Amino acid sequence: MIAPSARGRMLFVLLLCGVAAFALLSCAKKPIERATNIVQLDYPAELPVVRREHWGWTPGEQALPDHTINRITIHHGGEEFSAEKDVLKYLPGFQTWSREEKHWIDIPYHFIIDLKGNIYEARPINLPGDTNTSYDPTGHALMCVLGNYENHIISKDQLNAIIGLTAFLAKRFSVPVDSIRGHKDYAETLCPGKDLYRYLRDGTIVKAVSEKMER
Ligand SMILES: [Zn+2]
């Protein structure tokens, strides 16, 4: 027979063990909160878009509420992008840099367009983007063309990709065509570079997008 005081001590120790085990288990089980509300878009056959899963995108911590798209804003990378660089390998590094260096939840843009005019998904469209400049990108669908179009010429394939993607987004999110703009329309920047911006300024992009949407 155990003396009452010894039994009390044993019960206390058991209770402590239980509390410790519970604490350990709940720590181990605590899930990292991930972005689960990812909106998947259904692209038409004539608009091939590389899905984010294809380049090894990983979900980040959900830190931003969803936004409603009411603008489409065009950017350039702003730095040289070598034609030899493998974009499928570049994008995971861009995602890591965005998270670790900038403390953003993801790549700041929703879509990336490469030198050949291929389109890649980046940040999920339902999450607002990020910027180094002074405008608030909430409500903006953001696309970024890799390369620097302050010094380089935008190609026909790239322009077609911009127009195709913009027309799709404008239709999908009911964005009025006068809300299709360049980064420099909102902030002090050269982005998206003068050779790309001229197609926004002279109405080429908006006209082509309107025609595509009517078809
Ligand atoms: Zn920009």
Side-chain angles (χ1 to χ4, degrees), residues 37 84 89-90 111 118 126 129 148-149 154 160 175 179 190:
N37 57 335
E84 280 83 57
K89 288 189 181 131
Y90 164 77
F111 295 93
N118 299 309
N126 51 305
N148 185 343
Y149 302 95
I154 197 96
N160 284 338
V175 176
S179 295
L190 294 174

Side-chain angles (χ1 to χ4, degrees), residues 74-91:
I74 299 167
H75 298 256
H76 72 162
E79 46 190 58
E80 301 296 315
F81 195 89
S82 159
E84 280 83 57
K85 221 168 177 172
D86 183 346
V87 181
L88 293 177
K89 288 189 181 131
Y90 164 77
L91 291 173

Side-chain angles (χ1 to χ4, degrees), residues 5-212:
S5 61
R7 198 163 58 199
R9 270 203 302 276
M10 208 158 90
L11 277 173
F12 181 68
V13 168
L14 276 174
L15 186 72
L16 269 185
C17 286
V19 168
F22 178 76
L24 268 175
L25 271 175
S26 49
C27 265
K29 273 188 172 172
K30 191 175 179 194
I32 299 166
E33 219 179 295
R34 297 287 180 190
T36 51
N37 57 335
I38 294 161
V39 169
Q40 295 287 358
L41 298 172
D42 294 319
Y43 306 102
E46 68 268 21
L47 185 73
V49 174
V50 178
R51 298 273 180 187
R52 57 180 69 81
E53 291 74 19
H54 193 71
W55 58 259
W57 178 88
T58 58
E61 290 180 35
Q62 172 65 298
L64 297 175
D66 280 15
H67 66 157
T68 304
I69 300 291
N70 51 27
R71 295 169 190 279
I72 297 166
T73 305
I74 299 167
H75 298 256
H76 72 162
E79 46 190 58
E80 301 296 315
F81 195 89
S82 159
E84 280 83 57
K85 221 168 177 172
D86 183 346
V87 181
L88 293 177
K89 288 189 181 131
Y90 164 77
L91 291 173
F94 189 14
Q95 188 182 47
T96 304
W97 175 85
S98 301
R99 287 177 175 158
E100 290 179 5
E101 299 294 320
K102 303 300 296 183
H103 306 289
W104 292 330
I105 62 157
D106 209 326
I107 289 175
Y109 313 107
H110 302 108
F111 295 93
I112 302 290
I113 297 173
D114 72 11
L115 301 188
K116 295 181 189 135
N118 299 309
I119 306 169
Y120 305 80
E121 287 182 335
R123 179 181 301 220
I125 192 77
N126 51 305
L127 301 175
D130 272 295
T131 178
N132 282 318
T133 59
S134 61
Y135 81 110
D136 177 5
T138 306
H140 296 237
L142 305 173
M143 67 182 77
C144 176
V145 188
L146 296 174
N148 185 343
Y149 302 95
E150 193 63 18
N151 312 323
H152 289 276
I153 302 294
I154 197 96
S155 75
K156 187 121 188 63
D157 287 342
Q158 289 175 307
L159 204 53
N160 284 338
I162 294 166
I163 290 163
L165 179 60
T166 302
F168 166 74
L169 293 170
K171 199 164 191 165
R172 174 67 174 71
F173 296 102
S174 307
V175 176
V177 291
D178 60 0
S179 295
I180 299 165
R181 297 195 185 162
H183 186 176
K184 68 189 287 176
D185 293 317
Y186 297 104
E188 196 63 48
T189 174
L190 294 174
C191 180
K194 57 175 180 263
D195 195 63
L196 174 45
Y197 189 71
R198 71 190 168 107
Y199 294 110
L200 282 165
R201 198 182 44 213
D202 73 6
T204 302
I205 290 176
V206 166
K207 184 166 174 278
V209 166
S210 305
E211 285 168 4
K212 227 177 190 12

